[in-house]
Amino acid sequence: MIIWDLTSRARKASGKETLLSPTLFNIVADMLAIILNRAKQEGLIRAIIPRLIDDELSILQYADDTVIFLEHDIDLAKNMKLLLCVFEQLSGLKINYHKSDNFCFGQARECEEQYSQLFGCKLRQLPFKYLGIPMHVRILSNKDWKVIEDRIEKKLSSWKGKLLSTGGVLSC
């Protein structure tokens, strides 16, 4: 699994960098998912969990974060690197490899140094947090979910007061 950090900056024809609008950024980032799905159909890459998820799991995207899941195979990982370079060239977006993380599981841990060199990103180990959610090889416990639930509840309580009318605030 590799967590990529895409920058929302693109190069203008003049060579200067400019911020993309969030909508345009999302459209262009969706292009990466399309490229990877087509590559998967052509057998250039293989995703994970084919028996649990119909189309397999190859990519998750949230804002400017992208999580890519690969089956352990160095040759197919080289194909993925090529696809990412093509995506950068086509879109004008840049993948911040120095801000990206590489997680290897199972047999892939024997080759984690090769993966790290290929993609140019840091090797990381479990457990870690992604979007505030603890990531483990085991199912999240009730204790893990309680922390997330408490954070959401805290956010909602602060919003509740802001969204009530003056009459609603006085009667609470």
Side-chain angles (χ1 to χ4, degrees), residues 79-120:
N79 290 344
M80 174 61 77
K81 177 68 177 196
L82 180 63
L83 289 168
L84 293 171
C85 290
V86 167
F87 169 74
E88 284 182 313
Q89 293 297 311
L90 291 174
S91 68
L93 293 179
K94 181 178 176 357
I95 298 171
N96 293 323
Y97 291 101
H98 65 283
K99 289 184 178 180
S100 301
D101 299 315
N102 183 11
F103 296 86
C104 293
F105 305 96
Q107 293 177 341
R109 294 197 66 185
E110 297 168 8
C111 301
E112 63 186 3
E113 203 53 49
Q114 283 179 276
Y115 285 112
S116 181
Q117 287 177 354
L118 176 64
F119 291 108

Side-chain angles (χ1 to χ4, degrees), residues 28-169:
V28 174
D30 285 345
M31 186 178 73
L32 178 60
I34 293 167
I35 289 170
L36 295 184
N37 280 333
R38 288 192 181 156
K40 192 170 47 174
Q41 291 169 353
E42 296 295 323
L44 297 172
I45 60 171
R46 272 196 312 263
I48 60 171
I49 317 176
R51 60 195 174 278
L52 296 178
I53 300 172
D54 288 340
D55 289 338
E56 303 177 326
L57 181 61
S58 58
I59 187 169
L60 294 174
Q61 294 176 302
Y62 179 79
D64 66 344
D65 284 342
T66 300
V67 180
I68 296 176
F69 299 91
L70 294 173
E71 191 173 290
H72 169 49
D73 185 317
I74 293 292
D75 291 329
L76 296 180
K78 289 176 184 175
N79 290 344
M80 174 61 77
K81 177 68 177 196
L82 180 63
L83 289 168
L84 293 171
C85 290
V86 167
F87 169 74
E88 284 182 313
Q89 293 297 311
L90 291 174
S91 68
L93 293 179
K94 181 178 176 357
I95 298 171
N96 293 323
Y97 291 101
H98 65 283
K99 289 184 178 180
S100 301
D101 299 315
N102 183 11
F103 296 86
C104 293
F105 305 96
Q107 293 177 341
R109 294 197 66 185
E110 297 168 8
C111 301
E112 63 186 3
E113 203 53 49
Q114 283 179 276
Y115 285 112
S116 181
Q117 287 177 354
L118 176 64
F119 291 108
C121 50
K122 301 177 295 271
L123 282 172
R124 296 269 311 270
Q125 303 295 322
L126 290 174
F128 68 97
K129 286 190 177 187
Y130 179 68
L131 301 176
I133 300 173
M135 297 292 160
H136 307 276
V137 290
R138 62 175 173 74
I139 295 174
L140 292 178
S141 67
N142 286 340
K143 181 180 145 192
D144 295 327
W145 285 112
K146 182 67 175 149
V147 172
I148 297 163
E149 186 180 314
D150 290 344
R151 282 186 25 222
I152 292 171
E153 193 172 296
K154 184 178 175 183
K155 291 266 189 202
L156 288 176
S157 66
S158 69
W159 293 345
K160 181 180 170 186
K162 292 177 188 173
L163 296 176
L164 289 175
S165 65
T166 308
V169 172

